[in-house]
Amino acid sequence: MHFTSEQRLDDGVLEREFTLGEIPGILWTPALASASAQVPLILLGHPPLGLRKMYPRLVARAQHAAAEGFATATIELPGSGDRPRWPAAEQARADLRRAMEAGEPVSDEIVDALILPLVDKAVPEWQAALDALLLLPEIGGPVGYSGGVISIGIRLAVVEPRIVAAGLFAGSFVPRAMFEEARQVTIPLHVLLQWDDEGNDRQASLDLFDAFGSKEKSLNANMGGHTGVPQFAGDAAAQFFTRHLK
């Protein structure tokens, strides 16, 4: 991991951009984090729209987490931002746009092409980032995962034992194959569902929640569209991580 820049935000949070090989990322740590005052870590997931576009939302989440005593980190997803273009992913996105603009159902084939290769590529990169982050003296664990493409969160919850709790956003397409993986998830889960999310299949989200194998799982459903998540829903997620990471 190579840090390329750093700045102090207004609330004292230290923001550092880094690269991990060819993968860009950002790490935020609370003002008082140090080798003698290590803090837990939350990995911030996000949709494949690019870190630059997502930055305002990511930094807001990071500052909210820092106020609760957590470090947070994120990485650029494969094929997004300034990373090399990924023709197969771009074709899948184009097929998705065409189906939605035509008012047609989004087929399983489109969902699989859009999500499954992304999960296969992104999860090992998240694990490599976690390897590097946990070597930093101010990061002590435990580790949580929050938001982003829900299928990435599912896979990480299954294969990465260092992640002990996950807050998932039921706002992205889920391949049918991921339902079987969801049954293997056992860590505590907090799932956020926007009831009127225009791009999400509500029943599929409810079926996915039912499939999770976790003994502790909660569903926080609120009225509103994809970007209409109320502030109190974010507060509930913060309380969830405080319970399980501290």
Side-chain angles (χ1 to χ4, degrees), residues 132-198:
L133 290 162
L134 289 177
L135 292 176
L136 298 174
E138 65 270 33
I139 306 296
V143 181
Y145 177 85
S146 174
V149 178
I150 194 169
S151 293
I152 292 177
I154 292 170
R155 176 70 58 80
L156 279 169
V158 172
V159 304
E160 181 46 75
R162 293 171 294 184
I163 294 177
V164 301
L168 304 176
F169 181 49
S172 54
F173 294 103
V174 181
R176 293 184 184 277
M178 297 306 301
F179 281 72
E180 185 56 40
E181 292 195 39
R183 295 182 177 91
Q184 302 173 47
V185 174
T186 58
I187 63 174
L189 297 177
H190 180 88
V191 182
L192 176 63
L193 170 64
Q194 286 300 101
W195 202 250
D196 306 301
D197 191 334
E198 57 280 3

Side-chain angles (χ1 to χ4, degrees), residues 35-210:
S36 59
Q38 293 181 323
V39 293
L41 174 67
I42 299 175
L43 303 178
L44 297 184
H46 54 89
L49 300 175
L51 286 183
R52 291 182 183 179
K53 184 172 183 178
M54 292 301 303
Y55 176 81
R57 290 166 60 183
L58 287 166
V59 73
R61 291 165 61 192
Q63 289 178 296
H64 192 272
E68 302 296 327
F70 299 112
T72 52
T74 193
I75 57 173
E76 189 72 87
L77 292 175
S80 299
D82 295 328
R83 296 190 64 180
R85 297 299 89 194
W86 187 5
E90 294 187 350
Q91 181 62 55
R93 291 171 191 164
D95 292 342
L96 174 65
R97 284 194 299 270
R98 275 197 296 271
M100 296 185 72
E101 289 170 359
E104 300 172 351
V106 178
S107 69
D108 290 345
E109 291 76 14
I110 292 176
V111 173
D112 288 355
L114 184 71
I115 302 297
L116 293 177
L118 177 63
V119 172
D120 289 343
K121 286 178 176 286
V123 166
E125 294 182 351
W126 272 113
Q127 291 182 289
L130 185 54
D131 290 342
L133 290 162
L134 289 177
L135 292 176
L136 298 174
E138 65 270 33
I139 306 296
V143 181
Y145 177 85
S146 174
V149 178
I150 194 169
S151 293
I152 292 177
I154 292 170
R155 176 70 58 80
L156 279 169
V158 172
V159 304
E160 181 46 75
R162 293 171 294 184
I163 294 177
V164 301
L168 304 176
F169 181 49
S172 54
F173 294 103
V174 181
R176 293 184 184 277
M178 297 306 301
F179 281 72
E180 185 56 40
E181 292 195 39
R183 295 182 177 91
Q184 302 173 47
V185 174
T186 58
I187 63 174
L189 297 177
H190 180 88
V191 182
L192 176 63
L193 170 64
Q194 286 300 101
W195 202 250
D196 306 301
D197 191 334
E198 57 280 3
N200 189 41
D201 184 332
R202 182 196 303 162
Q203 188 58 54
S205 295
L206 295 173
D207 292 343
L208 179 64
F209 180 79
D210 189 52

Side-chain angles (χ1 to χ4, degrees), residues 5-19:
S5 70
E6 69 174 59
Q7 64 170 333
R8 285 280 178 187
L9 306 181
D10 291 342
D11 53 2
V13 173
L14 178 62
E15 177 185 279
R16 286 174 284 178
E17 295 186 3
F18 64 84
T19 56

